[in-house]
């Protein structure tokens, strides 16, 4: 029988964390970086807040490689009277609670709250190289997390994580190559963003009659949702009960994150009484809305079912519009995405400042512009 070492490529070696080039070393995070937690000044002392020192929370980290300015800042007095540490430029911010593993590299000296275990690299590791290594470690970080109330990774667990470390020269080469790829991705994202803005501007113009396609003229009807179809709520809850009908849910995030809903995208399996499964069914052309949110601007975000989904139902966090009139399928997906429509929903929603909701009677009052079927098809 051939030995296990015979399968290792020439120039490589077997380590406790897998195969590696022969000159790479296994190092623990604690051997190559300081692991530093955060703190929060008392929120009851007003002169601790509103200063010049950055103070990051986990929600501000993870969307970009570099982090510059925090939303909230603390004063020097707040810093001195808390467990905050002032982290130097180049520190890797690592979120350690709830959404474990989000990362960013500091570009200004900053503090963080307790939701971080930040990494200050020593002379043996380049911070950008460690940043890219840690991007691959999120599953391991989550496995190392613990806690009954919320998942959290302790400093000792971060320090004991092993990584493979090449020479500083190779770290620099790898970091530059990956950074170049990041730059290309950012350029593509910027181009996509510009094209999305162009589409959005065109869409708003076409759907509000400010722009008309060649060959079309005349007035459009203005109708309320109650006039064009049936608005229903009271959807299926997220339970599995023996003896009920198995169904799949159109959830809040399915509506919020998409314009089009397809059967193969629904993967939340629950059950419903047979009568409710029929009542809350999903048919081709059904339009679903978000009736509640933390902010008014997210009320009445919509998505359309592009096909019949026989075992599909909508959840109790979603409202369904079943249009009676003969509308173009694609037009339905865009008709409710205008600023004018969403502004109506914001005005008619009720809330206390932390949660807003629009009632079904107010949903039925929302008005939408309705062109001819032929013009709907051209716009859609």
């Amino acid at each position: 029988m051939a030995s296990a070492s015979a399968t290792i490529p020439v120039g490589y070696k077997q380590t406790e964390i897998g195969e590696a080039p022969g000159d790479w070393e296994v190092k623990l995070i604690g051997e190559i970086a300081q692991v530093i937690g955060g703190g929060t000044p008392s929120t009851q002392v007003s002169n601790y807040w509103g200063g010049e020192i950055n103070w990051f929370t986990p929600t501000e980290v993870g969307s970009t490689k570099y982090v510059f300015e925090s939303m909230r800042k603390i004063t020097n007095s707040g810093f001195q009277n808390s467990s905050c540490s002032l982290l130097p430029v180049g520190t890797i911010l690592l979120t350690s609670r709830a959404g474990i593993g989000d990362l960013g590299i500091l570009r200004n000296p900053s503090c963080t709250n307790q939701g971080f275990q930040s990494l200050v690299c020593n002379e043996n590791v380049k911070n950008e190289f460690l940043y890219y290594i840690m991007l691959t470690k999120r599953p391991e970080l989550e496995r190392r997390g613990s806690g009954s109330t919320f998942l959290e990774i302790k400093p000792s667990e971060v320090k004991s994580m092993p990584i493979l470390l090449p020479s500083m020269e190779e770290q620099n080469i790898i970091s530059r190559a990956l950074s170049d790829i990041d730059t290309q991705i950012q350029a593509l994202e910027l181009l996509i963003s510009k094209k999305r803005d162009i589409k959005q501007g065109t869409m708003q113009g076409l759907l509000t009659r400010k722009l008309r396609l060649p060959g079309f003229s005349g007035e459009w009807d203005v109708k309320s949702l109650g006039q064009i179809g049936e608005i229903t709520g009271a959807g299926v809850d997220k339970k599995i009960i023996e003896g009920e009908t198995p169904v799949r849910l159109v959830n809040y995030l399915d509506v919020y994150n998409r314009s089009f809903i397809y059967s193969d995208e629904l993967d939340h399996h629950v059950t419903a009484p047979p009568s409710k499964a029929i009542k809350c069914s999903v048919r081709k052309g059904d339009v679903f809305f978000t009736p509640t949110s933390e902010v008014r601007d997210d009320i009445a975000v919509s998505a359309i079912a592009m096909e019949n989904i026989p075992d599909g139902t909508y959840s109790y966090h979603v409202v369904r519009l079943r249009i009676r009139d003969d509308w173009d399928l694609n037009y339905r997906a865009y008709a409710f995405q205008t600023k004018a429509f969403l502004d109506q929903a914001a005005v008619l929603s009720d809330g206390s400042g932390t949660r807003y909701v629009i009632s079904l009677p107010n949903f039925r009052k929302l008005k939408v512009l309705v062109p001819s079927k032929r013009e709907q098809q051209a716009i859609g």
Side-chain angles (χ1 to χ4, degrees), residues 85-102:
S85 296
L86 190 63
L87 303 169
V89 173
T91 297
I92 300 169
L93 301 186
L94 168 65
T95 60
S96 60
R97 290 183 179 178
I100 292 174
D102 287 334

Side-chain angles (χ1 to χ4, degrees), residues 117-345:
Q117 297 297 339
S118 299
L119 309 178
V120 180
C121 298
N122 66 24
E123 68 278 2
N124 297 316
V125 61
K126 182 176 175 62
N127 65 337
E128 291 206 2
F129 179 82
L130 185 56
Y131 167 83
Y132 287 117
I133 285 287
M134 296 306 292
L135 283 177
T136 71
K137 295 291 185 179
R138 184 163 195 161
E140 183 177 350
L141 287 164
E142 290 176 344
R143 286 195 300 271
R144 288 170 173 259
S146 60
S148 55
T149 305
F150 52 81
L151 199 62
E152 179 177 15
I153 186 165
K154 298 176 181 177
S156 58
E157 291 291 340
V158 178
K159 292 177 183 178
S160 64
M161 284 183 62
I163 67 164
L164 288 166
L165 195 68
S167 67
M168 182 60 74
E169 180 183 6
E170 194 166 359
Q171 289 180 44
N172 285 323
I173 292 171
I174 292 171
S175 299
R176 283 197 297 269
L178 294 174
S179 186
D180 287 345
I181 294 172
D182 275 343
T183 301
Q184 293 176 35
I185 291 172
Q186 288 167 6
L188 287 172
E189 288 175 342
L190 181 60
L191 179 61
I192 291 169
S193 178
K194 287 181 178 179
K195 290 183 179 293
R196 187 179 291 117
D197 289 344
I198 292 170
K199 175 197 169 184
Q200 186 69 16
T202 304
M203 184 177 79
Q204 295 294 326
L206 289 172
L207 294 173
T208 57
R209 298 176 297 185
K210 293 177 182 178
L211 292 175
R212 300 295 289 273
L213 294 170
F216 294 98
S217 60
E219 292 298 312
W220 292 7
D221 292 332
V222 178
K223 293 185 177 182
S224 68
L225 298 193
Q227 290 176 304
I228 65 173
E230 181 187 15
I231 289 279
T232 54
V236 174
D237 59 27
K238 300 178 180 181
K239 296 179 180 178
I240 296 177
I241 298 177
E242 187 175 352
E244 291 188 342
T245 301
V247 294
R248 289 180 295 151
L249 285 185
V250 173
N251 279 311
Y252 184 99
L253 289 178
D254 295 318
V255 177
Y256 187 82
N257 291 328
R258 299 184 174 102
S259 294
F260 306 96
I261 294 173
Y262 294 93
S263 178
D264 61 5
E265 296 172 332
L266 303 182
D267 57 8
H268 192 158
H269 297 264
V270 297
T271 65
S275 59
K276 192 154 195 174
I278 295 171
K279 181 180 178 182
C280 300
S281 62
V282 179
R283 295 182 193 166
K284 182 178 180 179
D286 283 347
V287 183
F288 299 95
F289 295 94
T290 59
T292 181
S293 181
E294 288 84 2
V295 293
R296 291 184 188 271
D297 290 347
D298 284 343
I299 299 290
V301 174
S302 62
I304 180 175
M306 295 299 288
E307 57 189 348
N308 290 322
I309 305 177
D311 64 336
T313 59
Y314 64 90
S315 87
Y316 59 88
H317 289 306
V318 172
V319 167
R320 183 190 67 194
L321 168 64
R322 181 161 283 172
I323 298 176
R324 289 186 293 265
D325 299 342
D326 183 21
W327 278 36
D328 176 70
L329 187 65
N330 286 321
Y331 184 79
R332 298 179 190 213
Y334 301 112
F336 309 102
Q337 295 186 13
T338 66
K339 184 177 185 300
F341 180 82
L342 295 171
D343 284 349
Q344 292 178 69

